[in-house]
């Protein structure tokens, strides 16, 4: 997702409950090399309520796409 408003939607009242139910079945995982970009935390981590998971990859790991 490149836009912090991506995934936002507008719906008529009859469909709001159905859309909310469908959205609750999905989660987003965003990966980055840095964890100190505060603007991204504000936009993408539920206003700083997200968490950091650190991964250590084996040396020579070449399967990671930049």
């Amino acid at each position: 997702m490149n836009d912090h408003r991506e995934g936002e939607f507008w719906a008529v009242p009859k469909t709001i409950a159905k859309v909310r139910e469908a959205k609750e079945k999905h989660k987003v995982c965003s990966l980055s090399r840095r964890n100190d970009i505060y603007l991204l935390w504000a936009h993408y981590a539920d206003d700083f309520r997200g968490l950091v998971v650190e991964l250590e990859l084996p040396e020579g790991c070449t399967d990671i796409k930049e």
Side-chain angles (χ1 to χ4, degrees), residues 6-26:
E6 196 168 336
E8 188 174 296
F9 64 93
W10 295 91
V12 294
K14 290 193 309 190
T15 61
I16 289 176
K18 289 181 182 179
V19 172
R20 279 195 181 128
E21 182 180 314
K23 280 183 66 176
E24 288 175 1
K25 294 178 182 177
H26 301 280

Side-chain angles (χ1 to χ4, degrees), residues 5-60:
R5 298 188 76 167
E6 196 168 336
E8 188 174 296
F9 64 93
W10 295 91
V12 294
K14 290 193 309 190
T15 61
I16 289 176
K18 289 181 182 179
V19 172
R20 279 195 181 128
E21 182 180 314
K23 280 183 66 176
E24 288 175 1
K25 294 178 182 177
H26 301 280
K27 302 294 180 204
V28 174
C29 177
S30 178
L31 305 175
S32 175
R33 292 186 183 276
R34 294 180 52 189
N35 66 1
D36 61 346
I37 303 172
Y38 300 105
L39 183 60
L40 296 181
W41 278 98
H43 288 304
Y44 295 106
D46 197 16
D47 202 19
F48 297 95
R49 290 185 287 260
L51 62 103
V52 172
V53 175
E54 185 175 335
L55 301 174
E56 291 188 26
L57 301 174
E59 278 191 50

